[in-house]
Amino acid sequence: MCQNAGARGAKVAVTDVDDASGEAVAADIRRAGGAAIYLHQDVTDEARWLEVVGAVEKRHGRLDVTVANAGIAIRSAIIDMTLAAWRRQQAVNLEGVFLSVKHAVPAMRRAGGGSLVVMSSLAGLRGAAGLAGYCATKGGVRLFAKAAAIEHAEYNIHVNSVHPGIIDTDIWRKMVPAADAVRRNEPTDIHALSRTFVPLARTGEAQNVADGALFLASAASDYMTGAELVMDGGMFGGGMRRQG
Ligand SMILES: NC(=O)c1ccc[n+]([C@@H]2O[C@H](COP(=O)([O-])OP(=O)(O)OC[C@H]3O[C@@H](n4cnc5c(N)ncnc54)[C@H](O)[C@@H]3O)[C@@H](O)[C@H]2O)c1
């Protein structure tokens, strides 16, 4: 995502709690001839949002685009889910998005407009067993984005949500397989899942989602706000593929 923006000439500030990965992304952008810095940021920390937005404005004079991408997924049946696990997902996935909009908007108003891209999920459009806590956060992101779009349209600030399906990233490797899926003998490997459930019969790549985010960040989506960009190989629109 950040690499895409860097390649198109954006001056990028990459933020994460994982300093090694974040530094590596910023270094990749610079190696490719783009401009990028890395800043440590926990998206649940409101004071840090003020510092990060301030640092970007000080360095570049303005903030035009924010992609609220940080997210975690904790797999658990509802009756087994701890309140701490529920609250942790709310804090990162939903409160992090709220704070991104709250603190980016004043800078975008100073810049005369901007684009906020917030990461929801297919799980923000439909339910998934074992992911109720995650679904609740991503459904919240979806409607928060629509309200934010209406609230900030008069300032030429666009707010749109992205809804990826099964994308090959580390989030899947950090999640333990759902016990009930194992019991039902359903595939737990994401590529096997994709062959079974995705109409295009393949797993998405991070680049697919990056392309969508770049579109929403660019003038090509100038007449879009409060909209949902679904990037899921056809699962939502086309229903689930079932082989064999
Ligand atoms: N991979 C998929 O299939 C998929 C599908 C739908 C939606 N999404 C969403 O896409 C977004 C990106 O996830 P990903 O798939 O690249 O997973 P990922 O685990 O590779 O990336 C998530 C990133 O968020 C960072 N992060 C976690 N907690 C943070 C915090 N408190 N503050 C700052 N950064 C934090 C992690 O360090 C990591 O770099 C997430 O919002 C996720 O929910 C992913």
Side-chain angles (χ1 to χ4, degrees), residues 15-35:
T15 80
D16 206 298
V17 284
D18 178 346
D19 295 337
S21 300
E23 294 277 15
V25 171
D28 281 350
I29 296 170
R30 289 194 296 270
R31 254 192 306 279

Side-chain angles (χ1 to χ4, degrees), residues 8-190:
R8 296 294 182 90
K11 296 182 178 73
V12 182
V14 182
T15 80
D16 206 298
V17 284
D18 178 346
D19 295 337
S21 300
E23 294 277 15
V25 171
D28 281 350
I29 296 170
R30 289 194 296 270
R31 254 192 306 279
I37 53 165
Y38 170 73
L39 300 169
H40 179 90
Q41 181 187 23
D42 181 337
V43 295
T44 68
D45 177 348
E46 182 159 21
R48 186 62 182 145
W49 271 105
L50 285 163
E51 291 169 359
V52 165
V53 171
V56 168
E57 277 192 304
K58 192 168 172 206
R59 194 179 174 97
H60 300 300
R62 56 190 293 139
L63 175 67
D64 299 306
V65 174
T66 301
V67 181
N69 183 55
I72 57 168
I74 303 173
R75 211 194 280 273
S76 173
I78 295 169
I79 57 170
D80 299 326
M81 195 185 305
T82 64
L83 187 54
W86 170 272
R87 285 180 174 157
R88 184 67 195 146
Q89 289 181 102
Q90 292 283 327
V92 177
N93 297 1
L94 187 51
E95 291 174 19
V97 168
F98 154 64
L99 292 173
S100 77
V101 172
K102 177 179 173 183
H103 292 292
V105 159
M108 289 180 177
R109 284 181 62 172
R110 287 191 283 277
S115 182
L116 287 143
V117 181
V118 300
M119 199 53 63
S120 180
S121 173
L122 179 61
L125 299 170
R126 62 193 298 170
L131 285 173
Y134 181 77
C135 288
T137 66
K138 294 300 186 178
V141 167
R142 172 179 174 267
L143 278 181
F144 175 75
K146 293 187 192 309
I150 296 166
E151 207 168 304
H152 302 110
E154 67 179 293
Y155 306 110
N156 193 32
I157 296 173
H158 301 237
V159 190
N160 294 292
S161 56
V162 180
H163 300 261
I166 303 174
I167 312 297
D168 189 2
T169 71
D170 283 346
I171 205 167
W172 292 93
R173 292 176 270 283
K174 294 173 196 164
M175 264 192 286
V176 290
D180 56 344
V182 175
R183 265 198 306 275
R184 289 198 304 266
N185 211 19
E186 280 181 357
T188 51
D189 165 73
I190 56 167

